[in-house]
Amino acid sequence: MRETRKRRKTPVAPWIYVVEALKWAAFAALIIMLILTKASTRPSKTGFDEVKAAVTKDADLDNTKESDMLLLKRFYSLDSSEYDGAVYYSPKTNMGAEELVLIRLKDAGQSEAVMEAYNARIRNQLSSFEGYGVDQTELLKNAVCDCAGNYCLLYVGARADKVQSAFRKAL
Amino acid sequence: MVFNSIYFLFVFLPIALVLYYVIPARLKNLLLVIISFLFYAWGSPKSVIFLLFASLFNYASGIEIEHLKISRHTDAAMKVLIASASANIVLLASFKYIFDDMPVGMSFFTFTVLSYLFDVYGERTGAQRNPVNFILYVSFFPKLLSGPIVQYADMEAQLTNRKADPDKLMDGGVLFLVGLGKKVLLADALGAGFALLGQAENSILGAWLMMIFYSLQLYFDFSGYSDMAIGLSKMFGFEFEKNFDYPYMSLTVSEFWRRWHISLGNWFKQYVYFPMGGSRVSDVLILRNLLVVWLLTGIWHGNTFCFVVWGLYHGAFVILERFVIKGRFDGFPKALRRLATCLIAGIGWIFFFSPTIPSALRVILSMFGGAAFATRTAVYVLRSYFILLVLSLIGCTPFGSFLWNRLFAENNIGLNEHVLAFIAVALRLGLLILCTASLLGSTYTSFLYFKF
């Protein structure tokens, strides 16, 4: 008898339906936030040459030269054929820290690897120049590593803020 | 915000501790919630909205499940559990695999709330009625970004009944400092060496060094983070189990996984392996259970095929040890067995750091003769980082801890107690100064496990 009583269902409290409604409202808010975030990081339709022109216009590239993609592979371990577009301005001499890399991604999932490669290069250059290349170290500490939509930019050089805003504006 | 920043060390943490120790006990949890949200908001303010809404969603789910179970609507409780757990997993999967814009720590957050929901449904514990206590459980800042994944049943009592005292503050501070040293002095330096190797053309020496550098970097990076998280928690009165126990000293792969990221292993054991029957079923079902756990472990870590291969690779060795090897190598010298386990784990890490399977296979091929013996970069890295490499290898063993205990805890050199205490404080202060100097002189480096 006692066992039967123990197993008997009792009515569900009405407030539980309010909790249920509020709970799914919170979940819906999360989904909306997710969609809005996605919308703000959608791929840019601006062409590669256009973005390249925008960032190189403000960048100080006097101490750099446009290099072939083998150097990008060597210094960044990035294979240009895996991307929709890439350009690399490398330092003219070993004493130069100025450089610029612009990559158009094939998909957003590549951004993490590109940012890792950018950061690794900056870390490596910093350890090379630390202690004797004061100007270079300063430039490297202010370097721009930025991914927005389907473009990733690395820039080491003067007017870094201006180059970054030109990059964002161009997308 | 991250633990390895000057601002955290010298502004955020001291203020948080002072406030925590001076305010009345009844306000301590609320203060920790505010501190945790500030900590999380620092790098990404919009993530705080996610944290708040996701916390409220799971808080409500817990109450609902408990109420339905108490009123004997077990089927309805199960439906709520499935719907709520699915919603959490869908959110995680959307961020991680579709939108590719995951707030830091979301994988850890999801496992934390799932632990709560499962514990409430399984009546391992009751639902948390106090929203502040619940939000503190899921958002406590030391464990928020990268674990350890503390199961609700293990933290529940501490949410309302814990003691923060000077001894815990000191012990926690020392553990935090050790973790900081692992991260700043070892992991980051090893990371620089690894980055250099990544730029070199492939060679046998380079490929071996890549594997060794990454294995060590990952260990010091993540175990350093875990030490810092557990140490910080202790400073606020919480006691959590260790997350690493010298994994590279393991004799088998199964043992390696009992010593590496222990809280994740326990989570899978408690909420996946045991509910499927664990080891108390037929061999075929054990095989299935192990494969499911290792597949999920791989998927949890990342959204590339490499992680799936990495998970199954480890699963294969665990299965081999259980069903084929069955302790046949127990008579072999321990050093040899440790070396073999390290090699298996190290080759596994190659899938971890490689963006694609072919690139991982290229590194493995190079290791075993598919390239020139050495390049200039590989030799340069070996020479430049040799001392660091030796120190790091020693750091993977309990030797440091053994030496410290012999000298300071057991006082085997017979020094005056006060002198000994002074030396211990001076050494720790020296470590703090070294870490600070290193942080000041370098740019910010993230933690490897943040991306998982």
Side-chain angles (χ1 to χ4, degrees):
Chain A
M1 240 349 244
R2 189 176 296 157
E3 194 61 25
T4 314
R5 257 205 312 277
K6 210 175 150 189
R7 282 185 186 163
R8 191 175 298 152
K9 283 181 183 177
T10 52
V12 175
W15 56 264
I16 217 74
Y17 299 110
V18 179
V19 170
E20 174 86 357
L22 288 174
K23 184 181 105 172
W24 289 109
F27 186 73
L30 276 173
I31 295 293
I32 291 167
M33 195 181 94
L34 193 64
I35 292 165
L36 290 177
T37 306
K38 178 64 185 167
S40 68
T41 55
R42 66 183 183 280
S44 166
K45 286 180 182 161
T46 317
F48 183 76
D49 290 338
E50 216 175 308
V51 180
K52 179 185 165 188
V55 292
T56 52
K57 191 180 157 207
D58 287 313
D60 176 12
L61 299 172
D62 292 347
N63 296 324
T64 67
K65 57 180 187 299
E66 190 168 346
S67 306
D68 63 34
M69 292 298 113
L70 281 176
L71 271 189
L72 185 72
K73 170 90 179 151
R74 188 173 159 202
F75 291 144
Y76 289 84
S77 303
L78 293 174
D79 186 348
S80 59
S81 65
E82 290 177 6
Y83 306 101
D84 270 346
V87 65
Y88 179 32
Y89 288 87
S90 66
K92 273 182 185 164
T93 66
N94 286 340
M95 282 307 293
E98 293 90 343
E99 56 189 301
L100 184 148
V101 184
L102 177 69
I103 289 176
R104 185 185 164 120
L105 308 171
K106 274 187 178 157
D107 67 76
Q110 294 176 313
S111 65
E112 202 174 309
V114 172
M115 281 302 272
E116 257 179 43
Y118 283 179
N119 287 323
R121 169 71 173 164
I122 298 289
R123 274 204 302 277
N124 185 30
Q125 286 288 82
L126 266 171
S127 67
S128 303
F129 284 115
E130 230 152 33
Y132 69 93
V134 181
D135 295 339
Q136 291 93 329
T137 304
E138 195 55 36
L139 288 178
L140 286 160
K141 284 189 171 173
N142 294 320
V144 171
C145 292
D146 190 9
C147 274
N150 50 338
Y151 280 93
C152 288
L153 170 76
L154 172 137
Y155 174 63
V156 184
R159 302 189 292 271
D161 290 345
K162 217 170 168 187
V163 172
Q164 187 174 22
S165 68
F167 168 66
R168 286 277 175 163
K169 228 168 156 181
L171 302 179
Chain B
M1 197 180 298
V2 286
F3 303 154
N4 58 331
S5 69
I6 292 293
Y7 191 83
F8 177 81
L9 284 177
F10 294 103
V11 180
F12 189 88
L13 182 59
I15 292 175
L17 282 171
V18 169
L19 286 175
Y20 184 78
Y21 276 83
V22 297
I23 63 159
R26 66 194 156 82
L27 294 176
K28 285 188 194 296
N29 282 1
L30 180 64
L31 176 76
L32 283 181
V33 167
I34 294 168
I35 289 171
S36 298
F37 273 67
L38 273 175
F39 176 85
Y40 202 52
W42 211 263
S44 167
K46 71 176 181 197
S47 299
V48 170
I49 304 169
F50 156 78
L51 187 62
L52 184 66
F53 280 94
S55 301
L56 291 175
F57 174 81
N58 289 293
Y59 168 72
S61 296
I63 288 177
E64 232 184 319
I65 291 169
E66 186 184 60
H67 178 78
L68 291 168
K69 286 219 81 169
I70 288 171
S71 54
R72 303 289 163 196
H73 294 272
T74 312
D75 290 350
M78 174 57 103
K79 279 180 192 159
V80 172
L81 174 71
I82 291 172
S84 307
S86 305
N88 279 295
I89 292 165
V90 164
L91 260 186
L92 174 65
S94 310
F95 275 119
K96 200 165 183 166
Y97 306 115
I98 302 170
F99 294 113
D100 206 30
D101 185 29
M102 187 176 72
V104 176
M106 186 155 170
S107 304
F108 292 91
F109 173 88
T110 305
F111 271 36
T112 300
V113 291
L114 287 180
S115 148
Y116 171 71
L117 297 177
F118 294 148
D119 283 354
V120 173
Y121 180 82
E123 295 176 27
R124 204 175 158 208
T125 174
Q128 179 56 257
R129 297 270 157 177
N130 184 331
V132 172
N133 289 355
F134 178 76
I135 295 175
L136 178 60
Y137 164 63
V138 294
S139 70
F140 184 40
F141 78 94
K143 67 177 186 69
L144 179 61
L145 303 183
S146 246
I149 304 165
V150 182
Q151 293 174 24
Y152 181 68
D154 297 332
M155 191 168 166
E156 186 194 14
Q158 298 185 57
L159 288 169
T160 47
N161 185 21
R162 65 180 181 276
K163 200 177 149 200
D165 55 37
D167 285 343
K168 275 190 177 177
L169 184 68
M170 184 60 78
D171 289 349
V174 168
L175 188 56
F176 177 84
L177 193 56
V178 170
L180 187 68
K182 281 183 180 178
K183 165 66 181 162
V184 175
L185 302 178
L186 298 178
D188 288 351
L190 289 160
F194 178 75
L196 273 174
L197 288 164
Q199 291 171 19
E201 296 301 320
N202 273 348
S203 67
I204 296 173
L205 179 66
W208 277 93
L209 286 177
M210 273 178 93
M211 183 193 79
I212 295 168
F213 269 68
Y214 189 79
S215 302
L216 293 171
Q217 185 198 355
L218 188 65
Y219 170 64
F220 287 115
D221 193 279
F222 193 24
S223 77
Y225 181 91
S226 297
D227 287 349
M228 282 189 265
I230 296 166
L232 276 172
S233 305
K234 199 164 190 176
M235 290 162 96
F236 291 98
F238 288 92
E239 300 265 9
F240 298 145
E241 294 294 322
K242 62 184 166 191
N243 210 18
F244 286 83
D245 186 18
Y246 304 107
Y248 292 132
M249 295 297 288
S250 306
L251 298 170
T252 61
V253 177
S254 310
E255 187 188 348
F256 178 85
W257 282 104
R258 286 194 297 273
R259 289 164 170 257
W260 179 283
H261 202 175
I262 295 167
S263 62
L264 182 71
N266 287 344
W267 195 98
F268 274 114
K269 216 184 292 170
Q270 178 73 33
Y271 302 113
V272 181
Y273 190 66
F274 288 161
M276 288 197 303
S279 304
R280 294 180 174 184
V281 286
S282 66
D283 282 358
V284 177
L285 289 180
I286 294 176
L287 196 72
R288 178 205 66 181
N289 297 350
L290 287 171
L291 280 173
V292 168
V293 165
W294 287 102
L295 182 66
L296 289 177
T297 304
I299 293 171
W300 181 84
H301 278 86
N303 58 356
T304 67
F305 191 56
C306 278
F307 289 103
V308 174
V309 171
W310 171 80
L312 292 175
Y313 165 86
H314 275 282
F317 278 102
V318 170
I319 289 167
L320 264 179
E321 283 174 355
R322 188 181 184 104
F323 293 105
V324 182
I325 297 171
K326 289 180 178 173
R328 273 183 207 148
F329 297 139
D330 287 0
F332 278 54
K334 282 186 175 176
L336 208 64
R337 293 170 64 198
R338 285 193 175 114
L339 208 63
T341 307
C342 287
L343 182 64
I344 291 166
I347 290 175
W349 297 138
I350 294 173
F351 290 99
F352 224 65
F353 69 67
S354 300
T356 59
I357 296 287
S359 59
L361 293 177
R362 269 200 298 277
V363 178
I364 295 169
L365 195 68
S366 300
M367 281 171 66
F368 295 101
F373 179 70
T375 57
R376 268 195 297 184
T377 311
V379 174
Y380 166 77
V381 170
L382 183 60
R383 273 192 189 159
S384 313
Y385 288 84
F386 186 74
I387 294 173
L388 175 74
L389 207 55
V390 173
L391 287 175
S392 303
L393 288 169
I394 295 170
C396 290
T397 70
F399 179 73
S401 159
F402 168 79
L403 197 66
W404 183 273
N405 286 337
R406 297 280 283 183
L407 291 177
F408 296 102
E410 297 164 18
N411 191 8
N412 279 353
I413 41 176
L415 275 177
N416 175 297
E417 234 176 67
H418 297 294
V419 175
L420 213 59
F422 176 78
I423 295 172
V425 171
L427 283 173
R428 284 163 179 162
L429 205 62
L431 180 60
L432 178 64
I433 292 168
L434 264 178
C435 291
T436 308
S438 183
L439 285 173
L440 285 171
S442 63
T443 47
Y444 158 72
T445 54
S446 181
F447 287 87
L448 293 173
Y449 253 72
F450 276 6
K451 64 182 172 188
F452 306 133

